[in-house]
Every structure is written in structure tokens, then in C-alpha cells.
Amino acid sequence: MAVTSKQPLGAAYSATQAISQAPKRKNLIAIFALAPALAVFLAFWLLPFSRLILMGAEADRSSGISAYFTILTHQQYLISLVTTVTVSFTVSLVAVGIAGIAGFFLARHRFIGKSVLVAILTFPLAFPGVVVGFLVIMLGGRQGALAQLSLWLFDERWMFAYSLAGLFIGYLYFSIPRVITTVMAACENLDQSLEEAARSLGANSWQVTKDVIVPGIAPALLSTGAICFATSMGAFGTAFTLGTRLSILPLNIYGEFTNYANFAMAAALSVVLGLITWVALSLARKLAGSNVGAPV
């Protein structure tokens, strides 16, 4: 009897020990799974960015004071900062407005040639920024289509490629495809029974759009708008192709680093650019999360 009474106790102890070791095994698996990503994160982001933060606190070559303080006190850097944020924010709003409507239409309608049209609209995603800038020049540059047409009609060249207008067109060109693909996916997952219920209660098309459709896809609009903003803030190839005289942060960083060897100012501008985009993405993520399920 003594022997048989000890067997259940041993089995229970083994089961308890196995249960207690299960979380440890899961933690070990998680560590091994995350180790490569953490190594890349530390080596290629955290360490360089920490170095940038420290370098930006050093004295600027032109002013002799901290580069961060120089950005806030010198007009040229403030104008560059405001211009970059304004252009990026405007591009995000216009891209979400135009491509949001187009994406919803494409998601809800079936017609001949739809797949070809979607492929054409999203084709700019395959182009790097340099190619996008070159396309803007072919449209609004000195030898572009608009200049040739205006020269033939009015005997003068109309150009916009080498200004903020050209930069806006270029940024908008590669922002629209991002919004279209995101909105199409969001509209396909939207519960259409909510729209039918709203119509059965007497709501017109505008009320259904305002009270059901827009709140339903609001998280997608916010997230893709933030991505467009972040992409425009840091886009370099398009701006560099259109002209280095444009006063925006990516070109200023390039100029301070390569032309003047002003590493402190280049680092400070990089940190400011990164912080602005990080705040925008975090804010959009927070707002999008709070709006999830709003139609219900």
C-alpha cells in the first residue's frame, strides 16, 4: 500500500514541475526568435541614432553653439523645417482625399479592365524617387510637355518642376498608390450590412458615407496618411532630382554633411526629422486604434 500511495504523488509532482517549466521554455523560444531582430535593431538603428543624438548636441560650425539650439534660432533652418512639414502634411491630405475616393470606388465596383486600371494606378510604387523626379521634369521642366505646349500656344515656357509645386506633384505621385491599395483592402473588409441598415432607416447616400463608411475606414485612412507624411518627410531622391536649391530637410541634411562637413548640424536635423515622423506615426496609430469598431 505504501508503494502504491507514492506513485500518484510522484506523478503529480512531475506534472507540476512540467507546468512550472512551460513558461520558461516559452520565454527561451521567444528570446531565440527575437534575437536576430533585436541584434539588427541595436546594430543598425539604436547605436547609430544614439550617436546622432549626441553629435547633434555638439557645436555647430557656423554659429558655435549647440546645433539643436541653432535650428530654433536661425531662420533658414526654421523655414526648411516648416516647409518640409507643410508640404508633407498637404501631400498626405490631398493623397488621402483623392485616392480614398478612388480606392472606395474600385473596391465596390466590378467592370471590364479593372485589374489593368488598378495595376496602372499602383505602378508608381515600382519607381524610385529619382525616376519620379525625372518624370516630373518631363512634365513640368524646361523641355517638358507643359513647356512645349505653352511655348507653342503663348510663346512662353510654363514650368513648375524646379519649385515646391513640382516637389508636391512628385510626392503626390508616389503617395496615391499607397492610399489606394490600403483603402481598397479596408473597404473590402467593411461590413456592408451596416450600410444596408442605415439605408433601411432612411439615410441618404451622403449620410451613409459620413456616418458609416468614413468611420469604418478611418483607421486605414489615418494610418496610410501617416505613412504618406513620413515618406514625404524623408524623401530625398525626388527632391535631389528636381533641384538642390529647394529648402527642405533632406536636402539640407545632405548639404550640411557633404558640402560643409557640418556633421553636428546634419545630425541635429536628422534627429529632428526622425522625431517628427515618429510622433506623427505614433499619433496616427493611437487615433486609428481608438477608432477601430466605431461604426458598431
Side-chain angles (χ1 to χ4, degrees):
M1 294 294 294
V3 176
T4 57
S5 62
K6 290 181 180 179
Q7 290 178 349
L9 292 176
Y13 175 76
S14 300
T16 304
Q17 187 177 15
I19 293 174
S20 62
Q21 291 179 352
K24 296 180 180 179
R25 293 178 180 175
K26 291 182 179 180
N27 292 334
L28 289 175
I29 294 174
I31 292 174
F32 282 115
L34 295 176
L38 290 175
V40 173
F41 176 78
L42 292 174
F44 295 98
W45 189 88
L46 187 59
L47 293 178
F49 193 74
S50 300
R51 177 57 180 158
L52 279 179
I53 295 175
L54 295 176
M55 187 180 295
E58 297 176 359
D60 173 53
R61 293 189 62 180
S62 60
S63 62
I65 58 178
S66 172
Y68 294 122
F69 189 72
T70 304
I71 294 175
L72 299 177
T73 55
H74 282 60
Q75 186 177 7
Q76 59 175 345
Y77 299 117
L78 284 176
I79 292 176
S80 173
L81 177 61
V82 172
T83 301
T84 306
V85 172
T86 302
V87 171
S88 301
F89 184 73
T90 306
V91 167
S92 302
L93 288 180
V94 175
V96 169
I98 295 176
I101 298 174
F104 177 79
F105 177 84
L106 292 172
R108 292 298 178 85
H109 295 81
R110 301 290 184 269
F111 52 88
I112 299 175
K114 174 184 174 180
S115 59
V116 177
L117 178 60
V118 172
I120 293 175
L121 292 175
T122 57
F123 188 67
L125 290 174
F127 289 151
V130 175
V131 176
V132 173
F134 183 69
L135 292 177
V136 175
I137 292 175
M138 290 295 97
L139 176 63
R142 182 172 180 79
Q143 301 298 330
L146 179 61
Q148 297 298 324
L149 180 61
S150 61
L151 183 63
W152 179 63
L153 293 176
F154 307 104
D155 199 26
E156 61 180 6
R157 297 179 186 271
W158 293 354
M159 298 178 294
F160 63 85
Y162 311 107
S163 63
L164 288 178
L167 188 66
F168 174 83
I169 295 297
Y171 285 175
L172 187 65
Y173 181 75
F174 62 68
S175 295
I176 284 179
R178 291 178 170 86
V179 182
I180 287 180
T181 54
T182 304
V183 171
M184 288 181 64
C187 290
E188 291 175 355
N189 295 328
L190 189 63
D191 189 2
Q192 297 189 26
S193 62
L194 298 175
E195 302 174 39
E196 297 173 358
R199 290 189 177 91
S200 65
L201 294 174
N204 55 34
S205 299
W206 166 248
Q207 291 173 327
V208 172
T209 302
K210 178 174 67 71
D211 298 329
V212 179
I213 297 176
V214 172
I217 63 175
L221 295 177
L222 287 171
S223 61
T224 192
I227 292 174
C228 291
F229 176 81
T231 304
S232 300
M233 283 287 295
F236 173 77
T238 303
F240 187 78
T241 305
L242 296 179
T244 56
R245 295 183 179 180
L246 296 174
S247 181
I248 60 173
L249 284 182
L251 293 183
N252 283 350
I253 294 172
Y254 175 82
E256 296 290 342
F257 182 79
T258 59
N259 298 333
Y260 308 109
N262 193 357
F263 303 123
M265 179 54 65
L269 291 173
S270 300
V271 172
V272 170
L273 189 151
L275 288 177
I276 292 175
T277 55
W278 177 78
V279 169
L281 291 172
S282 300
L283 182 61
R285 189 181 302 111
K286 181 178 180 180
L287 294 176
S290 64
N291 286 336
V292 173
V296 179

